[in-house]
């Protein structure tokens, strides 16, 4: 069952204010009182949706990871490198276009767990595609593929963490070009 429009609007307001606050403070310094004041909601409204500030951060992390992995899942396993520029442009356009987008949380202090979970989920999503296509997990091909995918994903995530929004697209394209021209993935 879909969430009520008002609930979606309230959660979006909470998430937007959370993203703003993470530009100013570390996660453990953000208070629910401050967040609610900026979002113009009551604390009871916050607690209808989240247990605490860490539950909110986890929820945002889950949304980001789910949606990014969903984009990756749209592509066949054998196109994850060739179409990497397209895939990562879609991801950047959706979550990294402006400084308050969910993905920009990866650049904030105290959000290292988001970065680690994001990397892990993306790598696992891609590797699952290869296993589902018949690659044996204990094979040399799997090892080589896992190594290449880990290297490439760390490159993309590094760009997401380190580059300003205005530079991100060019940096992503460069990572994609280098990955596509210098790395070949073993066949299943």
């Amino acid at each position: 069952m879909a969430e009520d429009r008002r609930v979606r609007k309230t959660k979006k307001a909470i998430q937007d204010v959370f993203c703003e606050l993470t530009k100013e403070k570390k996660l453990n310094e953000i208070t629910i009182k401050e967040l609610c004041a900026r979002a113009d909601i009551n604390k009871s409204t916050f607690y209808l949706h989240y247990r605490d500030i860490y539950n909110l951060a986890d929820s945002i992390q889950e949304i980001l990871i789910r949606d990014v992995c969903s984009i990756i899942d749209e592509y066949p396993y054998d196109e994850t490198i060739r179409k990497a520029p397209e895939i990562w442009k879609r991801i950047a356009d959706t979550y990294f276009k402006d400084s308050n987008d969910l993905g920009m949380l990866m650049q904030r202090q105290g959000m290292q767990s988001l970065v680690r979970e994001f990397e892990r989920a993306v790598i696992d999503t891609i590797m699952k595609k290869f296993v589902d296509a018949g690659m044996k997990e204990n094979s040399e091909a799997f090892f080589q593929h896992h190594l290449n995918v880990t290297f490439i994903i760390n490159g993309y995530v590094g760009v997401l963490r380190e580059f300003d929004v205005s530079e991100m697209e060019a940096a992503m394209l460069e990572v994609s070009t280098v990955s596509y021209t210098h790395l070949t993935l073993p066949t299943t």
Side-chain angles (χ1 to χ4, degrees), residues 73 77 122-134 142:
D73 273 339
Y77 76 96
V122 170
I123 292 167
D124 289 350
T125 298
I126 294 170
M127 294 310 297
K128 182 181 181 317
K129 292 168 90 50
F130 278 82
V131 170
D132 290 349
F142 182 87

Side-chain angles (χ1 to χ4, degrees), residues 154-172:
N154 277 284
Y156 283 117
V157 171
V159 167
L160 297 176
R161 281 194 346 248
E162 298 296 328
F163 284 82
D164 184 74
V165 173
S166 63
E167 305 168 312
M168 198 172 289
E169 190 169 338
M172 289 284 207

Side-chain angles (χ1 to χ4, degrees), residues 4 7-8 24-25 27-28 32 37 40 44 55 65 77 84 86 95 105 110 114 126 152 162-164 174 183:
D4 178 88
V7 170
R8 285 192 312 271
E24 303 164 19
K25 300 178 173 197
L27 178 63
N28 63 348
I32 292 169
D40 196 25
S44 59
N55 180 242
I65 289 171
Y77 76 96
E86 177 183 324
Y95 293 104
L105 288 173
L114 170 61
I126 294 170
I152 292 166
E162 298 296 328
F163 284 82
D164 184 74
E174 183 64 24
L183 293 175

Side-chain angles (χ1 to χ4, degrees), residues 11-19 50 56 59-60 63 102:
K11 284 183 171 182
K12 172 110 174 73
I14 293 169
Q15 291 169 359
D16 288 350
V17 169
F18 178 79
C19 288
Y50 307 103
L56 168 59
S59 175
I60 290 171
I63 291 166
L102 294 182

Side-chain angles (χ1 to χ4, degrees), residues 101-119:
D101 283 346
L102 294 182
M104 296 310 288
L105 288 173
M106 291 172 54
Q107 295 183 347
R108 309 287 199 269
Q109 288 186 357
M111 300 301 285
Q112 295 84 357
S113 70
L114 170 61
V115 174
R116 283 190 305 274
E117 291 297 320
F118 182 85
E119 285 174 338

Side-chain angles (χ1 to χ4, degrees), residues 120 123-124 127 135 140-152 185-186:
R120 179 82 268 136
I123 292 167
D124 289 350
M127 294 310 297
M135 185 180 283
E140 180 64 25
F142 182 87
F143 173 79
Q144 287 298 318
H145 185 71
H146 194 201
L147 183 66
N148 289 339
V149 167
T150 300
F151 180 79
I152 292 166
L185 296 179

